[in-house]
Amino acid sequence: MKIKLIGCHSTMNEVQAQGRKQGMDCEFLDFNFHARPDKLHAKIQEIINQSQNYDLIILTYGRCSNTMLGLLSPRVPLLFPATHDCIGLMLGSTARHMELFKKDSRTYYFSQGWLDYGRTPLAEYYEYEAKYGEKKALKLIQSLYGSYQRAIFIITPGIDDLAKYQQKVQEIADFFSWEVGEIEGDINLLTSIVKGIKAPETIYVDAGQVITLETLTGGQHANNDHPKSTC
């Protein structure tokens, strides 16, 4: 089976840690696409259109600001996780993400890929500071992240230098006066995606079918009581 994987940089480390699969071609997109869901949608559709000679197209994107809505693969089926974003994917399921969110909604989660390629709250602050000055930057960043109280690092397989990422999280937490913690990730869902296996928390779309809101919600109405997407 020939498989095309379209993924976000935030999931690249965990995908590569599983080893290169025979017959699979991977293409990882710049994390900055998340700032423009319309451009991310267009880029994914462009790659899908160019990948119609494969047997299956898999994506490591979840809902991600509904970027997946309207995607269409004319001749090749699609498979992707039914998570809200990459944090749910690194935790193993939306159910686990929701359980942790309900226990404490004031936690900001970081993964290896998020720290390597994403725009962290601290990086965001420095951007605002350079543009608007310290006083306005602090006000802006407080309005965005003032409700959080702790930073949690999700430990996943394939991390070569754990101390480096722990230091990055600590630096962010120190700036915001957050507590710091760690949690074991679960990449079983990601593994099933990479292997092209349908699982309870995957979404399989037949060739020629447009991805709709019903597709993403499994026929249920969208639930607004969920963690804020990091994507």
Side-chain angles (χ1 to χ4, degrees):
M1 177 180 281
K2 288 180 58 181
I3 297 177
K4 174 73 174 189
L5 183 149
I6 307 170
C8 176
H9 264 153
S10 65
T11 60
M12 182 171 70
N13 296 322
E14 287 78 12
V15 170
Q16 292 181 339
Q18 299 184 50
R20 185 174 182 83
K21 303 292 187 293
Q22 186 175 3
M24 176 183 289
D25 293 321
C26 300
E27 188 164 350
F28 295 97
L29 304 183
D30 194 305
F31 189 93
N32 291 326
F33 269 112
H34 283 295
R36 289 293 304 273
D38 56 334
K39 288 192 174 183
L40 177 58
H41 173 92
K43 184 62 177 178
I44 294 174
Q45 184 63 68
E46 176 187 331
I47 299 172
I48 288 174
N49 292 345
Q50 296 168 351
S51 305
Q52 294 300 298
N53 59 330
Y54 288 86
D55 300 305
L56 178 67
I57 298 172
I58 61 179
L59 304 101
T60 63
Y61 289 96
R63 286 169 128 187
C64 297
S65 301
N66 286 332
T67 296
M68 309 291 280
L69 278 177
L71 290 177
L72 168 65
S73 178
R75 298 188 298 275
V76 185
L78 304 173
L79 181 69
F80 56 93
T83 54
H84 289 295
D85 53 34
C86 60
I87 296 301
L89 183 57
M90 293 301 109
L91 289 171
S93 68
T94 297
R96 188 183 183 201
H97 196 183
M98 283 290 297
E99 181 183 356
L100 292 168
F101 175 73
K102 288 177 179 178
K103 284 182 179 178
D104 190 351
S105 62
R106 298 166 297 179
T107 297
Y108 198 100
Y109 291 95
F110 296 92
S111 67
Q112 180 187 17
W114 179 247
L115 290 168
D116 280 341
Y117 306 107
R119 183 173 177 240
T120 70
L122 184 54
E124 194 171 346
Y125 165 74
Y126 287 135
E127 290 175 16
Y128 293 148
E129 184 184 39
K131 190 172 183 178
Y132 303 114
E134 181 181 2
K135 186 176 180 180
K136 189 171 182 180
L138 286 171
K139 187 176 180 180
L140 278 170
I141 213 71
Q142 180 67 21
S143 69
L144 291 170
Y145 302 105
S147 63
Y148 291 99
Q149 294 188 355
R150 58 188 51 83
I152 299 294
F153 180 53
I154 304 171
I155 300 177
T156 50
I159 299 177
D160 294 326
D161 189 351
L162 180 59
K164 179 181 75 172
Y165 294 99
Q166 290 171 326
Q167 183 178 350
K168 286 184 178 184
V169 174
Q170 187 67 59
E171 182 182 359
I172 297 167
D174 287 345
F175 178 86
F176 288 96
S177 298
W178 292 345
E179 298 174 12
V180 176
E182 295 177 353
I183 189 171
E184 286 293 329
D186 179 349
I187 64 165
N188 286 327
L189 176 58
L190 178 61
T191 299
S192 68
I193 294 285
V194 172
K195 291 182 176 179
I197 299 172
K198 298 179 191 177
E201 277 217 56
T202 60
I203 296 174
Y204 181 87
V205 183
D206 287 318
Q209 298 296 310
V210 177
I211 296 177
T212 65
L213 186 59
E214 186 177 15
T215 308
L216 297 177
T217 58
Q220 301 297 318
H221 292 293
N223 182 0
N224 292 322
D225 181 23
H226 58 75
K228 179 181 177 182
S229 174
T230 59
C231 297

Short mmCIF file of all heavy atoms in Angstrom, two decimals, residues 11 59-68 80-98 186 188-190 193 200-203 215-217 226-227 229-231:
data_model
loop_
_atom_site.label_atom_id
_atom_site.label_comp_id
_atom_site.label_asym_id
_atom_site.label_seq_id
_atom_site.Cartn_x
_atom_site.Cartn_y
_atom_site.Cartn_z
N THR A 11 3.93 17.42 14.99
CA THR A 11 3.85 15.97 15.16
C THR A 11 4.99 15.23 14.48
O THR A 11 5.06 14.00 14.54
CB THR A 11 2.51 15.43 14.61
OG1 THR A 11 2.43 15.74 13.20
CG2 THR A 11 1.32 16.05 15.31
N LEU A 59 -3.49 12.13 7.58
CA LEU A 59 -3.14 13.45 8.08
C LEU A 59 -2.99 13.39 9.60
O LEU A 59 -3.72 12.65 10.27
CB LEU A 59 -4.21 14.49 7.72
CG LEU A 59 -4.54 14.62 6.23
CD1 LEU A 59 -5.83 13.87 5.91
CD2 LEU A 59 -4.68 16.08 5.83
N THR A 60 -2.04 14.14 10.14
CA THR A 60 -1.90 14.20 11.59
C THR A 60 -2.60 15.43 12.15
O THR A 60 -2.46 15.74 13.33
CB THR A 60 -0.42 14.19 12.03
OG1 THR A 60 0.24 15.36 11.53
CG2 THR A 60 0.28 12.94 11.53
N TYR A 61 -3.33 16.13 11.30
CA TYR A 61 -4.13 17.27 11.76
C TYR A 61 -5.45 16.77 12.35
O TYR A 61 -6.06 15.84 11.82
CB TYR A 61 -4.44 18.22 10.60
CG TYR A 61 -3.24 18.99 10.10
CD1 TYR A 61 -2.51 18.55 9.01
CD2 TYR A 61 -2.85 20.17 10.74
CE1 TYR A 61 -1.41 19.25 8.56
CE2 TYR A 61 -1.74 20.88 10.28
CZ TYR A 61 -1.03 20.42 9.20
OH TYR A 61 0.07 21.12 8.75
N GLY A 62 -5.89 17.42 13.44
CA GLY A 62 -7.23 17.17 13.96
C GLY A 62 -8.15 18.24 13.42
O GLY A 62 -8.04 18.65 12.26
N ARG A 63 -9.05 18.70 14.26
CA ARG A 63 -9.98 19.73 13.79
C ARG A 63 -9.25 21.04 13.49
O ARG A 63 -9.52 21.69 12.50
CB ARG A 63 -11.04 19.97 14.86
CG ARG A 63 -12.07 18.85 14.95
CD ARG A 63 -12.92 19.01 16.18
NE ARG A 63 -14.31 18.96 15.85
CZ ARG A 63 -15.27 19.21 16.72
NH1 ARG A 63 -14.97 19.55 17.96
NH2 ARG A 63 -16.53 19.14 16.38
N CYS A 64 -8.35 21.43 14.39
CA CYS A 64 -7.46 22.57 14.14
C CYS A 64 -8.18 23.77 13.51
O CYS A 64 -7.96 24.07 12.33
CB CYS A 64 -6.27 22.15 13.29
SG CYS A 64 -5.22 20.91 14.09
N SER A 65 -9.04 24.41 14.29
CA SER A 65 -9.79 25.58 13.82
C SER A 65 -10.63 25.27 12.58
O SER A 65 -10.84 26.12 11.72
CB SER A 65 -8.85 26.76 13.52
OG SER A 65 -8.11 27.11 14.67
N ASN A 66 -11.09 24.02 12.50
CA ASN A 66 -11.94 23.56 11.39
C ASN A 66 -11.26 23.68 10.03
O ASN A 66 -11.92 23.84 9.00
CB ASN A 66 -13.29 24.29 11.39
CG ASN A 66 -14.19 23.80 12.50
OD1 ASN A 66 -14.09 22.65 12.93
ND2 ASN A 66 -15.08 24.66 12.97
N THR A 67 -9.94 23.60 10.05
CA THR A 67 -9.18 23.65 8.79
C THR A 67 -9.58 22.53 7.84
O THR A 67 -9.52 22.68 6.62
CB THR A 67 -7.67 23.54 9.09
OG1 THR A 67 -7.27 24.68 9.86
CG2 THR A 67 -6.85 23.48 7.82
N MET A 68 -10.02 21.40 8.39
CA MET A 68 -10.33 20.23 7.57
C MET A 68 -11.65 20.36 6.82
O MET A 68 -11.89 19.62 5.86
CB MET A 68 -10.39 18.98 8.45
CG MET A 68 -9.17 18.79 9.36
SD MET A 68 -7.70 18.37 8.43
CE MET A 68 -7.98 16.64 8.15
N PHE A 80 -7.62 10.48 9.46
CA PHE A 80 -7.00 11.45 10.36
C PHE A 80 -7.62 11.33 11.75
O PHE A 80 -8.67 10.71 11.92
CB PHE A 80 -7.15 12.88 9.81
CG PHE A 80 -8.56 13.31 9.54
CD1 PHE A 80 -9.31 13.99 10.50
CD2 PHE A 80 -9.15 13.06 8.30
CE1 PHE A 80 -10.60 14.40 10.23
CE2 PHE A 80 -10.44 13.47 8.02
CZ PHE A 80 -11.18 14.14 8.99
N PRO A 81 -6.96 11.91 12.78
CA PRO A 81 -7.45 11.76 14.15
C PRO A 81 -8.67 12.64 14.43
O PRO A 81 -8.80 13.74 13.89
CB PRO A 81 -6.27 12.20 15.00
CG PRO A 81 -5.51 13.15 14.13
CD PRO A 81 -5.68 12.61 12.73
N ALA A 82 -9.54 12.15 15.30
CA ALA A 82 -10.74 12.90 15.68
C ALA A 82 -10.48 13.72 16.94
O ALA A 82 -11.33 13.81 17.83
CB ALA A 82 -11.90 11.95 15.90
N THR A 83 -9.29 14.31 17.02
CA THR A 83 -8.95 15.14 18.18
C THR A 83 -9.10 16.61 17.82
O THR A 83 -9.15 16.97 16.65
CB THR A 83 -7.49 14.87 18.62
OG1 THR A 83 -6.62 15.05 17.50
CG2 THR A 83 -7.33 13.46 19.16
N HIS A 84 -9.19 17.45 18.85
CA HIS A 84 -9.33 18.88 18.60
C HIS A 84 -8.05 19.46 18.02
O HIS A 84 -8.09 20.37 17.18
CB HIS A 84 -9.69 19.61 19.89
CG HIS A 84 -11.08 19.32 20.37
ND1 HIS A 84 -12.20 19.70 19.66
CD2 HIS A 84 -11.53 18.69 21.48
CE1 HIS A 84 -13.28 19.31 20.31
NE2 HIS A 84 -12.91 18.70 21.42
N ASP A 85 -6.90 18.97 18.49
CA ASP A 85 -5.63 19.53 18.04
C ASP A 85 -4.51 18.54 18.35
O ASP A 85 -4.75 17.41 18.76
CB ASP A 85 -5.36 20.89 18.70
CG ASP A 85 -5.48 20.84 20.22
OD1 ASP A 85 -5.13 19.81 20.81
OD2 ASP A 85 -5.92 21.84 20.82
N CYS A 86 -3.26 18.99 18.18
CA CYS A 86 -2.11 18.09 18.36
C CYS A 86 -1.91 17.73 19.83
O CYS A 86 -1.31 16.68 20.13
CB CYS A 86 -0.85 18.72 17.79
SG CYS A 86 -0.37 20.29 18.55
N ILE A 87 -2.38 18.55 20.76
CA ILE A 87 -2.22 18.22 22.18
C ILE A 87 -3.07 16.98 22.51
O ILE A 87 -2.60 16.05 23.18
CB ILE A 87 -2.62 19.41 23.07
CG1 ILE A 87 -1.66 20.59 22.84
CG2 ILE A 87 -2.60 19.00 24.54
CD1 ILE A 87 -0.20 20.28 23.12
N GLY A 88 -4.30 16.95 22.05
CA GLY A 88 -5.13 15.76 22.24
C GLY A 88 -4.51 14.54 21.60
O GLY A 88 -4.57 13.43 22.15
N LEU A 89 -3.87 14.73 20.45
CA LEU A 89 -3.22 13.62 19.76
C LEU A 89 -2.04 13.10 20.57
O LEU A 89 -1.83 11.89 20.69
CB LEU A 89 -2.75 14.07 18.37
CG LEU A 89 -2.11 13.02 17.46
CD1 LEU A 89 -3.05 11.85 17.23
CD2 LEU A 89 -1.71 13.65 16.14
N MET A 90 -1.26 14.00 21.17
CA MET A 90 -0.11 13.59 21.99
C MET A 90 -0.55 12.96 23.31
O MET A 90 0.18 12.17 23.91
CB MET A 90 0.80 14.79 22.27
CG MET A 90 1.51 15.35 21.05
SD MET A 90 2.56 14.18 20.18
CE MET A 90 1.61 13.93 18.68
N LEU A 91 -1.75 13.31 23.78
CA LEU A 91 -2.27 12.73 25.02
C LEU A 91 -2.96 11.39 24.76
O LEU A 91 -3.28 10.66 25.70
CB LEU A 91 -3.24 13.69 25.68
CG LEU A 91 -2.62 14.94 26.32
CD1 LEU A 91 -3.70 15.92 26.75
CD2 LEU A 91 -1.74 14.57 27.50
N GLY A 92 -3.25 11.10 23.49
CA GLY A 92 -3.80 9.79 23.14
C GLY A 92 -5.26 9.77 22.77
O GLY A 92 -5.72 8.83 22.14
N SER A 93 -6.00 10.80 23.17
CA SER A 93 -7.43 10.82 22.84
C SER A 93 -8.05 12.13 23.28
O SER A 93 -7.54 12.82 24.17
CB SER A 93 -8.17 9.67 23.54
OG SER A 93 -8.20 9.87 24.94
N THR A 94 -9.17 12.45 22.66
CA THR A 94 -9.95 13.61 23.09
C THR A 94 -10.49 13.38 24.49
O THR A 94 -10.57 14.31 25.31
CB THR A 94 -11.12 13.86 22.11
OG1 THR A 94 -10.58 14.18 20.82
CG2 THR A 94 -12.00 15.01 22.58
N ALA A 95 -10.87 12.14 24.79
CA ALA A 95 -11.43 11.82 26.11
C ALA A 95 -10.44 12.15 27.22
O ALA A 95 -10.81 12.76 28.24
CB ALA A 95 -11.82 10.34 26.16
N ARG A 96 -9.18 11.77 27.03
CA ARG A 96 -8.18 12.07 28.05
C ARG A 96 -7.93 13.58 28.14
O ARG A 96 -7.79 14.13 29.23
CB ARG A 96 -6.87 11.35 27.73
CG ARG A 96 -5.83 11.48 28.85
CD ARG A 96 -4.53 10.81 28.49
NE ARG A 96 -3.58 10.87 29.58
CZ ARG A 96 -2.26 10.74 29.44
NH1 ARG A 96 -1.75 10.52 28.23
NH2 ARG A 96 -1.45 10.81 30.48
N HIS A 97 -7.88 14.23 26.99
CA HIS A 97 -7.69 15.69 26.96
C HIS A 97 -8.83 16.38 27.71
O HIS A 97 -8.62 17.28 28.53
CB HIS A 97 -7.64 16.15 25.50
CG HIS A 97 -7.08 17.53 25.34
ND1 HIS A 97 -7.02 18.15 24.12
CD2 HIS A 97 -6.58 18.42 26.23
CE1 HIS A 97 -6.49 19.35 24.26
NE2 HIS A 97 -6.22 19.54 25.53
N MET A 98 -10.06 15.94 27.45
CA MET A 98 -11.23 16.51 28.10
C MET A 98 -11.21 16.26 29.60
O MET A 98 -11.56 17.13 30.41
CB MET A 98 -12.51 15.92 27.50
CG MET A 98 -12.89 16.51 26.16
SD MET A 98 -13.45 18.22 26.30
CE MET A 98 -14.91 18.00 27.31
N ASP A 186 0.73 9.66 25.15
CA ASP A 186 0.22 8.37 24.65
C ASP A 186 0.12 8.50 23.14
O ASP A 186 -0.74 9.24 22.63
CB ASP A 186 -1.14 8.07 25.27
CG ASP A 186 -1.74 6.75 24.79
OD1 ASP A 186 -1.21 6.16 23.83
OD2 ASP A 186 -2.75 6.32 25.37
N ASN A 188 -0.46 5.99 20.98
CA ASN A 188 -1.13 4.85 20.35
C ASN A 188 -2.06 5.29 19.22
O ASN A 188 -2.13 4.64 18.16
CB ASN A 188 -1.91 4.04 21.38
CG ASN A 188 -1.00 3.21 22.27
OD1 ASN A 188 0.04 2.73 21.82
ND2 ASN A 188 -1.38 3.03 23.52
N LEU A 189 -2.77 6.40 19.43
CA LEU A 189 -3.65 6.91 18.38
C LEU A 189 -2.84 7.36 17.17
O LEU A 189 -3.18 7.05 16.02
CB LEU A 189 -4.50 8.06 18.92
CG LEU A 189 -5.41 8.77 17.90
CD1 LEU A 189 -6.36 7.80 17.25
CD2 LEU A 189 -6.17 9.91 18.58
N LEU A 190 -1.76 8.08 17.42
CA LEU A 190 -0.89 8.52 16.32
C LEU A 190 -0.31 7.32 15.59
O LEU A 190 -0.24 7.31 14.35
CB LEU A 190 0.24 9.39 16.87
CG LEU A 190 1.26 9.88 15.84
CD1 LEU A 190 0.60 10.75 14.78
CD2 LEU A 190 2.40 10.64 16.53
N ILE A 193 -2.77 5.87 13.24
CA ILE A 193 -2.89 6.74 12.06
C ILE A 193 -1.74 6.47 11.09
O ILE A 193 -1.94 6.28 9.88
CB ILE A 193 -2.89 8.22 12.49
CG1 ILE A 193 -4.14 8.57 13.30
CG2 ILE A 193 -2.77 9.13 11.26
CD1 ILE A 193 -5.39 8.69 12.50
N PRO A 200 -11.08 3.72 16.97
CA PRO A 200 -12.25 4.45 17.48
C PRO A 200 -12.13 5.96 17.39
O PRO A 200 -13.12 6.64 17.16
CB PRO A 200 -12.33 4.00 18.95
CG PRO A 200 -11.77 2.62 18.93
CD PRO A 200 -10.65 2.67 17.93
N GLU A 201 -10.93 6.51 17.55
CA GLU A 201 -10.78 7.97 17.50
C GLU A 201 -10.10 8.43 16.22
O GLU A 201 -9.38 9.42 16.21
CB GLU A 201 -10.04 8.49 18.72
CG GLU A 201 -10.98 8.67 19.91
CD GLU A 201 -10.66 9.87 20.76
OE1 GLU A 201 -10.61 10.99 20.24
OE2 GLU A 201 -10.47 9.67 21.97
N THR A 202 -10.33 7.70 15.14
CA THR A 202 -9.89 8.16 13.83
C THR A 202 -11.12 8.43 12.97
O THR A 202 -12.21 7.92 13.22
CB THR A 202 -9.00 7.13 13.13
OG1 THR A 202 -9.74 5.91 12.95
CG2 THR A 202 -7.74 6.86 13.93
N ILE A 203 -10.93 9.26 11.97
CA ILE A 203 -12.00 9.56 11.02
C ILE A 203 -11.55 9.10 9.64
O ILE A 203 -10.48 9.49 9.16
CB ILE A 203 -12.32 11.07 11.00
CG1 ILE A 203 -12.86 11.51 12.36
CG2 ILE A 203 -13.32 11.39 9.89
CD1 ILE A 203 -13.07 13.01 12.47
N THR A 215 -18.97 15.15 9.59
CA THR A 215 -17.84 14.22 9.51
C THR A 215 -16.95 14.37 10.73
O THR A 215 -16.54 13.38 11.35
CB THR A 215 -17.00 14.49 8.25
OG1 THR A 215 -17.82 14.52 7.10
CG2 THR A 215 -15.92 13.42 8.08
N LEU A 216 -16.65 15.62 11.10
CA LEU A 216 -15.71 15.89 12.18
C LEU A 216 -16.30 15.59 13.56
O LEU A 216 -15.57 15.27 14.49
CB LEU A 216 -15.28 17.36 12.14
CG LEU A 216 -14.50 17.80 10.90
CD1 LEU A 216 -14.21 19.29 10.96
CD2 LEU A 216 -13.20 17.02 10.77
N THR A 217 -17.61 15.69 13.69
CA THR A 217 -18.24 15.50 15.00
C THR A 217 -18.91 14.14 15.13
O THR A 217 -19.60 13.88 16.12
CB THR A 217 -19.28 16.61 15.26
OG1 THR A 217 -20.27 16.59 14.22
CG2 THR A 217 -18.62 17.97 15.29
N HIS A 226 -14.83 22.52 25.44
CA HIS A 226 -13.63 21.74 25.19
C HIS A 226 -12.41 22.65 25.35
O HIS A 226 -12.53 23.86 25.33
CB HIS A 226 -13.66 21.12 23.79
CG HIS A 226 -13.78 22.11 22.67
ND1 HIS A 226 -12.73 22.90 22.28
CD2 HIS A 226 -14.83 22.44 21.89
CE1 HIS A 226 -13.12 23.67 21.27
NE2 HIS A 226 -14.37 23.42 21.02
N PRO A 227 -11.24 22.06 25.50
CA PRO A 227 -10.05 22.87 25.67
C PRO A 227 -9.82 23.79 24.49
O PRO A 227 -10.14 23.45 23.34
CB PRO A 227 -8.92 21.82 25.77
CG PRO A 227 -9.61 20.56 26.15
CD PRO A 227 -10.97 20.63 25.54
N SER A 229 -8.11 25.27 21.51
CA SER A 229 -7.17 24.67 20.58
C SER A 229 -5.87 25.44 20.56
O SER A 229 -5.86 26.68 20.59
CB SER A 229 -7.78 24.64 19.17
OG SER A 229 -6.85 24.19 18.24
N THR A 230 -4.77 24.72 20.50
CA THR A 230 -3.48 25.35 20.37
C THR A 230 -3.12 25.56 18.91
O THR A 230 -2.06 26.09 18.61
CB THR A 230 -2.38 24.48 21.03
OG1 THR A 230 -2.37 23.22 20.39
CG2 THR A 230 -2.63 24.34 22.50
N CYS A 231 -3.96 25.08 18.00
CA CYS A 231 -3.66 25.17 16.59
C CYS A 231 -4.38 26.33 15.95
O CYS A 231 -5.46 26.68 16.35
CB CYS A 231 -4.04 23.88 15.88
SG CYS A 231 -3.13 22.44 16.42
#
